[in-house]
Amino acid sequence: MNNQEFAQILYDADTKRQPLSQSEYATQLDNESAAYDVQRTLMALKSEKIGGYKISLTSKETQAMFDSDTPLYGAQVVSHFKQGPITLSANQVLDPLAEVELMFTAKEDLLPEDSLIDLMKKTLIAPAIEVPDSRFLNWFPSLSKYLVIADAAVGGYIVYGQQVETIDYFKTPDELASVATVLYHNGKEIKTGNATEVLGNPLLSLQWLVAKLASQNQQLTAGQHISSGTFLLPEHLTTGSWQASFSHHLSDVVVNVK
């Protein structure tokens, strides 16, 4: 099938809540360009504008899982960025995970020539829990990276806490890279993580995305959100209360699942 037809299948799987079998589509895509073409076509089928992007494979460990040596990104619709606390129900997701991240929001258009300090000046920052979700059954960690890209980088929801001015809250890029987190489920500590897992610094992840989009004749524009990459290996999102707590007096983020 062509890319348009495949995008339609992904769209139908999402809207009808009917997951796909990986094996049926394992050979559908074999290069990054085609995969991003499917993703753009998929997003065009949706009735909402793009609210921003999520960045995936920002650690050596996750890149190795998906046989990649670079990050990848997925566009996300406006309604899938939500300020917490929120409650998700089973009919809103198919096979979700929980990740802990930092989310940037562009106050003005971001440019490939922007330095890390420029990016700090041009953004807000917030703690976040990302809920990756895929249109493919049993996708983690075996899904082809090209199917991950086509599936909008297994986009689900991005739940964020209080937004603050990046440049006011952190004095330097190095200080931002020192943020640490603890993930809890029903009050029990599950995992800890650090911002250095995100390409060494989440600002470098944001800078990567700006450059990647520019190489595809796209741009990060004012008002868009960017989930920069996970501090820790994801957990399966089961029912109950999930909470991420952060250092540097960033707010907690809570996602309840029923």
Side-chain angles (χ1 to χ4, degrees):
M1 71 186 78
N2 61 36
N3 290 349
Q4 175 73 43
E5 292 168 333
F6 185 39
Q8 185 67 55
I9 286 171
L10 289 169
Y11 176 78
D12 290 342
D14 187 40
T15 55
K16 296 175 182 177
R17 319 309 297 157
Q18 295 175 346
L20 306 171
S21 167
Q22 289 187 50
S23 59
E24 274 190 65
Y25 302 95
T27 60
Q28 176 64 33
L29 298 168
D30 62 4
N31 67 86
E32 182 183 280
S33 178
Y36 278 118
D37 181 58
V38 172
Q39 182 186 137
R40 286 188 289 271
T41 305
L42 170 63
M43 299 309 295
L45 290 170
K46 300 188 177 187
S47 58
E48 290 187 67
K49 72 175 186 178
I50 292 173
Y53 298 85
K54 58 159 290 187
I55 309 171
S56 295
L57 308 192
T58 52
S59 71
K60 291 297 184 183
E61 194 168 8
T62 53
Q63 286 177 10
M65 285 179 174
F66 290 89
D67 190 27
S68 179
D69 57 5
T70 64
L72 55 86
Y73 75 82
Q76 306 291 292
V77 293
V78 169
S79 67
H80 281 222
F81 290 92
K82 295 182 175 293
Q83 186 154 19
I86 70 163
T87 298
L88 292 175
S89 58
N91 63 2
Q92 290 176 272
V93 288
L94 290 170
D95 190 5
L97 303 179
E99 297 180 345
V100 182
E101 320 219 343
L102 289 175
M103 187 192 81
F104 297 98
T105 301
K107 298 190 296 179
E108 54 187 282
D109 295 353
L110 305 185
L111 307 173
E113 58 267 28
D114 285 340
S115 67
L116 298 189
I117 291 293
D118 291 332
L119 293 174
M120 292 177 73
K121 291 177 179 177
K122 296 170 81 170
T123 60
L124 304 174
I125 194 168
I129 293 177
E130 186 197 335
V131 180
D133 194 25
S134 179
R135 275 29 71 182
F136 294 93
L137 282 173
N138 303 315
W139 65 274
F140 183 81
S142 59
L143 192 63
S144 148
K145 65 182 175 183
Y146 302 123
L147 292 181
V148 171
I149 293 172
D151 192 22
V154 292
Y157 290 87
I158 295 155
V159 183
Y160 59 95
Q162 181 182 358
Q163 294 183 287
V164 295
E165 295 278 349
T166 309
I167 196 65
D168 292 342
Y169 212 81
F170 297 98
K171 294 180 178 64
T172 65
D174 285 347
E175 184 181 355
L176 191 151
S178 69
V179 175
T181 188
V182 182
L183 178 65
Y184 300 91
H185 179 234
N186 292 334
K188 178 184 177 182
E189 181 179 320
I190 301 298
K191 277 182 178 174
T192 61
N194 295 281
T196 51
E197 288 299 305
V198 187
L199 296 184
N201 188 325
L203 285 165
L204 292 173
S205 181
L206 175 60
Q207 193 175 54
W208 172 85
L209 178 62
V210 174
K212 183 66 174 180
L213 289 173
S215 75
Q216 299 172 335
N217 298 312
Q218 300 179 82
Q219 186 178 25
L220 271 167
T221 57
Q224 289 186 324
H225 305 296
I226 307 94
S227 188
S228 61
T230 184
F231 286 28
L232 44 79
L233 282 179
E235 289 286 314
H236 285 281
L237 191 80
T238 53
T239 57
S241 178
W242 293 83
Q243 176 181 315
S245 296
F246 294 77
S247 65
H248 294 70
H249 304 291
L250 291 165
S251 68
D252 292 346
V253 184
V254 175
V255 177
N256 298 305
V257 183
K258 63 179 184 180

